[in-house]
């Protein structure tokens, strides 16, 4: 488990070398709070910058101090208006590039459009487009957390540090769930099984997997392998060719692989956005005898009516990190709890700026984590 020793963490204050500038890329209160928390622990002042919208909705950025020859770290959390958030970041990165910054490091805890990292019929891989735009704007390094797919790192031609929030969530389980030894880690679909296995092995707990109709909508039926148009009739294919057709999928009745009866069920995933699949999983676990249900994820998008649906559901608690602002959702639903991950971000910033190894932040993390 990742844990910064008290002696080392106490030494973080004021030991960064000169030439570090820390900017917050938007005026969102949550982003400013996260940025100030990092700045205070690093012992530096927040960089002076103005980010605002013109009356015609254009984004304008004004850097109000010199960044020439300095390492610039731009912290950007994704707000509800994700496209404005992206433009703020791109414009600020380009402004620092044209102001002769030595390096420009983006600190983006949740990488937007990360779910659009596969070809969907005649769509596009938007995540790759966004990565190319950031590199073209002048980004030289990226710090992010729990990418939806680790392969997204390959979309960039710059270094990417994909940090993990699981140590903080594991610590929360151990400290805030008194009877966690009687818990079972649950994957709400087979796609989440590896993450659930990672949590279960570290906590020395059992694992359960939900399989069937309550699977996540992200399935093979909508990936790029169905891009070619379906032949309308057999005559459209050359008579000498006999191409076998793929048998269509049929979802089995919903089943739970593993024993959850009389146990605490902890559902783990990387993103909580549309909560329908989580609600269905919670109902299934209740029917199978689980007496308490927790949902834990790194990124809490909690879109649309998610807070209301969670409040009315069988879920007892939803635990997410502060990679994404969700103060309004917490006011609407007391079941939502937040875990602070600013410590690992500031340690990454400090190590990159001082030219230290990042391996300490990736201890005990395997290829499947």
């Amino acid at each position: 488990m990742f844990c910064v020793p008290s002696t080392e963490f106490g030494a973080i204050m004021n030991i960064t070398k000169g030439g570090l500038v820390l900017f917050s890329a938007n005026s969102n209160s949550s982003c400013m709070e996260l940025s100030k928390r990092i700045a205070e622990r690093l012992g530096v002042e927040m960089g002076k910058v103005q980010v605002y919208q013109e009356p015609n909705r254009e984004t304008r950025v004004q850097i109000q101090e010199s960044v020439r020859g300095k390492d610039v770290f731009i912290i950007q959390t994704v707000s509800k208006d994700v496209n404005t958030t992206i433009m703020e970041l791109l414009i600020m990165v380009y402004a620092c590039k044209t102001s002769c910054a030595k390096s420009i490091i983006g600190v983006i805890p949740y990488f937007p459009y990360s779910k659009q990292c596969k070809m969907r019929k005649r769509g596009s891989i938007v995540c790759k487009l966004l990565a190319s735009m950031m590199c073209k704007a002048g980004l030289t390094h990226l710090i992010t957390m729990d990418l939806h797919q680790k392969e997204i790192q390959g979309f960039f031609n710059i270094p990417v540090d994909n940090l993990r929030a699981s140590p903080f969530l594991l610590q929360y389980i151990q400290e805030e769930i008194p009877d966690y030894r009687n818990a079972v880690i649950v994957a709400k679909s087979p796609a989440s099984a590896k993450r659930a296995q990672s949590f279960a092995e570290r906590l020395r707990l059992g694992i359960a997997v939900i399989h069937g109709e309550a699977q996540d909508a992200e399935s093979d039926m909508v990936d790029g392998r169905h891009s070619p148009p379906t032949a309308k009739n057999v005559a459209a294919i050359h008579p000498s060719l006999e191409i076998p057709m793929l048998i269509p999928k049929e979802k089995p009745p919903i089943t739970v692989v593993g024993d959850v009866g009389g146990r605490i069920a902890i559902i783990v995933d990387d993103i909580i956005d549309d909560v329908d699949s989580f609600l269905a999983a919670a109902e299934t676990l209740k029917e199978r005898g689980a007496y308490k249900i927790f949902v834990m994820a790194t990124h809490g998008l909690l879109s649309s009516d998610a807070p209301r649906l969670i409040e009315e559901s069988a879920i007892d608690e939803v635990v997410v990190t502060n990679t994404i602002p969700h103060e309004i959702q917490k006011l609407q639903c007391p079941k939502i709890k937040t875990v602070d991950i600013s410590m690992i971000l500031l340690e990454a910033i400090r190590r990159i700026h001082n030219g230290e190894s990042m391996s300490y932040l990736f201890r005990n993390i395997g290829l499947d984590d």
Side-chain angles (χ1 to χ4, degrees):
M1 183 187 302
F2 168 76
C3 181
V4 181
S6 58
T7 53
E8 181 173 343
F9 185 68
I12 288 178
M13 296 291 289
N14 294 318
I15 67 165
T16 55
K17 299 176 182 177
L20 180 148
V21 181
L22 196 66
F23 286 131
S24 178
N26 64 31
S27 56
N28 182 282
S29 59
S30 298
C31 185
M32 289 299 296
E33 181 184 350
L34 180 62
S35 302
K36 287 178 179 177
R37 188 173 297 176
I38 292 172
E40 286 173 4
R41 289 173 172 168
L42 283 172
V44 300
E45 296 288 333
M46 286 297 301
K48 297 179 178 64
V49 62
Q50 276 191 334
V51 182
Y52 58 94
Q53 300 288 319
E54 296 278 16
N56 62 359
R57 303 298 298 163
E58 289 184 358
T59 300
R60 185 174 291 274
V61 173
Q62 294 284 350
I63 307 291
Q64 297 180 317
E65 63 178 88
S66 175
V67 296
R68 182 179 293 271
K70 296 182 179 179
D71 292 331
V72 177
F73 291 84
I74 301 174
I75 300 173
Q76 178 70 305
T77 57
V78 177
S79 64
K80 190 174 182 180
D81 189 355
V82 61
N83 295 324
T84 298
T85 299
I86 291 169
M87 284 307 300
E88 288 173 348
L89 177 66
L90 293 174
I91 294 171
M92 184 174 287
V93 168
Y94 189 66
C96 292
K97 177 184 177 181
T98 54
S99 298
C100 300
K102 178 185 175 183
S103 61
I104 306 164
I105 300 92
V107 183
I108 312 171
Y110 170 68
F111 193 78
Y113 285 95
S114 59
K115 282 190 172 183
Q116 298 190 46
C117 59
K118 297 179 181 178
M119 179 64 74
R120 308 251 182 238
K121 295 190 177 180
R122 294 174 184 82
S124 60
I125 306 175
V126 183
C127 194
K128 165 63 176 172
L129 171 64
L130 185 54
S132 300
M133 290 167 65
M134 289 183 179
C135 295
K136 188 68 176 178
L139 206 65
T140 60
H141 198 135
L142 176 67
I143 301 172
T144 187
M145 182 165 282
D146 282 339
L147 288 169
H148 187 54
Q149 298 287 342
K150 291 190 290 293
E151 292 77 11
I152 291 173
Q153 295 174 86
F155 293 164
F156 292 85
N157 55 15
I158 58 174
V160 177
D161 286 310
N162 182 28
L163 303 175
R164 305 298 197 276
S166 53
F168 297 91
L169 297 175
L170 290 167
Q171 186 179 36
Y172 184 93
I173 292 172
Q174 292 174 318
E175 295 179 356
E176 302 297 330
I177 304 178
D179 197 21
Y180 84 91
R181 289 293 180 189
N182 188 37
V184 59
I185 305 299
V186 180
K188 69 179 178 65
S189 70
S192 306
K194 282 188 177 180
R195 179 180 296 270
Q197 182 182 357
S198 175
F199 272 68
E201 289 175 351
R202 283 170 167 78
L203 293 169
R204 313 298 192 264
L205 299 176
I207 183 174
V209 179
I210 298 175
H211 178 57
E213 295 177 356
Q215 287 186 57
D216 191 55
E218 195 171 340
S219 64
D220 289 338
M221 288 300 293
V222 291
D223 71 10
R225 287 174 286 183
H226 290 264
S227 294
T230 305
K232 292 184 178 180
N233 52 65
V234 180
I237 300 175
H238 195 278
S240 64
L241 297 177
E242 293 185 3
I243 301 175
M245 299 299 294
L246 189 65
I247 299 172
K249 289 184 177 180
E250 183 177 338
K251 291 183 180 179
I254 191 164
T255 57
V256 178
V257 182
D259 181 22
V260 297
R263 313 283 287 278
I264 298 172
I266 303 176
I267 304 172
V268 296
D269 213 333
D270 62 329
I271 298 173
I272 301 179
D273 188 4
D274 179 9
V275 297
D276 289 346
S277 59
F278 290 94
L279 302 183
E283 289 295 333
T284 301
L285 293 170
K286 277 289 185 184
E287 292 172 2
R288 299 300 194 280
Y291 71 90
K292 210 165 187 181
I293 298 172
F294 290 80
V295 175
M296 312 200 78
T298 303
H299 310 296
L301 275 70
L302 301 169
S303 303
S304 191
D305 292 332
R308 179 182 61 81
L309 294 172
I310 291 170
E311 186 65 24
E312 298 171 355
S313 73
I315 296 172
D316 293 281
E317 195 168 284
V318 173
V319 182
V320 292
T321 71
N322 56 346
T323 57
I324 296 174
H326 52 262
E327 278 68 24
I328 296 175
Q329 290 92 330
K330 286 179 69 176
L331 292 174
Q332 297 171 343
C333 178
K335 292 182 179 180
I336 301 171
K337 309 296 180 184
T338 306
V339 174
D340 178 31
I341 45 80
S342 62
M343 278 202 303
I344 194 170
L345 294 177
L346 74 89
E347 179 66 3
I349 291 171
R350 188 189 70 82
R351 286 174 178 269
I352 290 172
H353 175 62
N354 290 345
E356 300 176 18
S357 171
M358 293 287 286
S359 61
Y360 177 80
L361 303 182
F362 294 95
R363 293 178 307 163
N364 302 322
I365 293 178
L367 292 175
D368 293 334
D369 290 330

